[in-house]
Amino acid sequence: MAFISLSQKKLNLIDLIVLASYYFFSIFLLLSLLGLFKKEFIIATLVVGFLLFLIFFWKKVEFKKHYLYFFILIPILFTGILLFKGSFGGDGIHFWLPWAREIVLQERMPDFLFNTISWFTSRMPLMPLFYAGMFSLFGFAPWVIAILPFFFAGATAFLLYQWLLEKGVKKNYIIFGILLLLTNPLFLDHAGEIRKEVFILFFFTAFFYYLEKFQLVVSSSNQKRTLYFLLVFLSAVLTAVSKSTGLFVLLPLFFLFIRNKNKQLKRPYFYLFLTFPLFLWLLRNYLIYDNPIFPFLGGVFKGQYYNLVLIGDQIAQNFNPPFWNNILARIAEAPISLFLLFSPLGILSFYGFWKKRKIQYILLFFIFSLILLLII
């Protein structure tokens, strides 16, 4: 029923990205767990996916030329930022990319990585699997590293644009919504880096995008309800397999099932089958580490590697300052965080004051900014 609804409706670019991401993640996960993560199987996966697209969705996808601006201009923006920074950094270089590389070299999902800082391969696997697919096709060239974060950064900006457009916001104002995203320090820091944030940011936003659309068509035809609930479910699963914190989006799904008393959805528990890739990964972790979300909740599940995690945490504390991750340190960082977080709004406000020739507000803006700089 869900597939029939999907093949009969016009799809936008966001729908296609979510569907393709779920398809590739599910296949890549199965191949890696079965020890079949080989180039020929990756190519076969692409060919089958392309044929499915041609047969069922070729004439169903709405695509306009200006969509390409998001996937051209935003990568150019982050290319400039990376050139200014000089290099990638963080967990991506030390952990995620080596993990993806080992998947390709071993042609399977490794249980441990002894040549990395964190040798457990128990975190959510979407990012390393996607990178492993890229590495399998194009090799370990440096330019391959930037493709995925640039693409999903552009997709997130496009999703925000599409959402605001559907809510009736004028195009003249939508650009400010995009600018608020692009100039947000968190987005600037994570969207161009090899980190999980750019993936979970897109799928998390897509989840609430589809959740709102589902709630708006509750009294509409059953076909629309089925379609949007399917997309809600897929985006929730992708959010969960992007990062462990994404598991929290499963809670709203639980409430949707509870509220389905008037049978708005027929056979709703059929959708639980879509969580099979997530369930498979959690089961794999439990069999290897005795903990489905290892190394988190170690005090609950314990397990044979629990003491190793405690030792590692103790060693890390010896290398960090005594006030590291302390609540007082967090309070001390609050003014800087707030300033960075709201700086885009300040810039837009300054633009509005300047356009309306509000000199007194411009002076107040500079005084306020000077005070902040002195405090910081």
Side-chain angles (χ1 to χ4, degrees):
M1 180 65 182
F3 183 77
I4 294 174
S5 301
L6 190 63
S7 61
Q8 292 179 349
K9 176 194 175 288
K10 283 285 186 180
L11 303 176
N12 60 35
L13 188 58
I14 302 301
D15 303 336
L16 188 61
I17 294 174
V18 170
L19 290 170
S21 297
Y22 183 85
Y23 167 76
F24 285 119
F25 170 75
S26 301
I27 300 298
F28 287 174
L29 179 62
L30 286 174
L31 291 176
S32 66
L33 294 178
L34 294 174
L36 299 173
F37 203 91
K38 302 179 180 180
K39 186 174 183 178
E40 51 267 30
F41 287 109
I42 302 299
I43 294 174
T45 300
L46 291 173
V47 172
V48 171
F50 184 69
L51 290 176
L52 290 174
F53 171 74
L54 289 179
I55 295 172
F56 296 104
F57 306 120
W58 174 253
K59 295 182 179 180
K60 303 293 183 180
V61 177
E62 299 175 345
F63 187 84
K64 299 179 181 179
K65 292 182 179 179
H66 69 270
Y67 293 174
L68 293 174
Y69 294 151
F70 292 92
F71 300 94
I72 295 175
L73 298 179
I74 292 176
I76 290 175
L77 167 68
F78 287 112
T79 300
I81 294 173
L82 283 175
L83 290 174
F84 178 77
K85 294 172 65 175
S87 64
F88 289 111
D91 292 341
I93 298 298
H94 301 299
F95 182 55
W96 306 118
L97 295 184
W99 184 0
R101 183 175 181 272
E102 287 301 315
I103 294 174
V104 177
L105 295 178
Q106 298 184 26
E107 298 181 346
R108 59 180 294 275
M109 178 63 69
D111 295 338
F112 300 95
L113 292 176
F114 296 108
N115 58 343
T116 64
I117 297 175
S118 178
W119 47 275
F120 302 109
T121 57
S122 57
R123 302 297 180 93
M124 290 303 176
L126 181 139
M127 179 177 172
L129 283 173
F130 276 15
Y131 269 106
M134 297 291 291
F135 289 153
S136 180
L137 293 174
F138 303 108
F140 302 106
W143 62 270
V144 178
I145 297 176
I147 293 177
L148 288 174
F150 285 179
F151 175 81
F152 279 97
T156 304
F158 174 76
L159 171 55
L160 182 61
Y161 163 83
Q162 185 72 21
W163 199 349
L164 293 174
L165 193 66
E166 291 178 2
K167 292 186 74 66
V169 179
K170 294 182 180 179
K171 290 185 178 180
N172 295 337
Y173 298 106
I174 289 179
I175 186 62
F176 289 106
I178 305 300
L179 285 174
L180 285 174
L181 175 68
L182 294 178
T183 55
N184 187 287
L186 298 177
F187 191 77
L188 286 175
D189 186 37
H190 295 302
E193 280 285 1
I194 312 301
R195 302 180 183 180
K196 288 189 169 185
E197 277 73 12
V198 68
F199 298 93
I200 193 174
L201 179 63
F202 172 75
F203 294 119
F204 182 80
T205 308
F207 170 78
F208 286 100
Y209 168 71
Y210 290 122
L211 183 61
E212 182 186 69
K213 293 173 78 70
F214 170 74
Q215 292 174 337
L216 290 175
V217 299
V218 163
S219 59
S220 185
S221 65
N222 183 63
Q223 184 177 348
K224 283 187 176 181
R225 292 198 302 270
T226 301
L227 171 66
Y228 287 129
F229 192 75
L230 172 68
L231 292 169
V232 166
F233 224 103
L234 294 182
S235 56
V237 172
L238 290 168
T239 302
V241 297
S242 295
K243 198 171 183 179
S244 299
T245 51
L247 290 168
F248 287 105
V249 301
L250 299 179
L251 293 176
L253 287 183
F254 175 73
F255 288 110
L256 282 180
F257 279 113
I258 294 177
R259 294 176 58 186
N260 191 40
K261 295 179 180 179
N262 55 353
K263 305 299 181 182
Q264 296 167 349
L265 289 167
K266 294 182 179 180
R267 298 181 296 276
Y269 295 101
F270 166 77
Y271 295 91
L272 292 176
F273 178 75
L274 298 174
T275 63
F276 177 73
L278 173 61
F279 171 78
L280 192 62
W281 181 253
L282 297 178
L283 176 63
R284 175 257 185 193
N285 282 350
Y286 183 78
L287 294 176
I288 297 175
Y289 305 106
D290 301 323
N291 182 346
I293 53 175
F294 184 85
F296 306 110
L297 297 181
V300 176
F301 293 97
K302 301 295 182 180
Q304 55 185 324
Y305 301 107
Y306 175 59
N307 290 331
L308 289 177
V309 175
L310 293 180
I311 294 172
D313 291 341
Q314 186 62 44
I315 294 174
Q317 290 179 6
N318 294 333
F319 285 97
N320 292 325
F323 54 83
W324 182 267
N325 210 26
N326 186 284
I327 187 171
L328 295 178
R330 295 297 185 186
I331 295 174
E333 292 175 358
I336 300 176
S337 301
L338 289 174
F339 174 75
L340 293 175
L341 190 61
F342 290 101
S343 59
L345 292 174
I347 294 172
L348 292 177
S349 299
F350 177 80
Y351 171 77
F353 297 153
W354 180 268
K355 189 174 182 180
K356 294 184 178 182
R357 299 296 189 270
K358 300 290 186 179
I359 305 299
Q360 65 275 26
Y361 294 129
I362 294 175
L363 291 175
L364 185 62
F365 179 87
F366 277 115
I367 293 172
F368 179 72
S369 300
L370 181 62
I371 293 172
L372 281 178
L373 289 174
L374 292 175
I375 293 175
I376 295 173

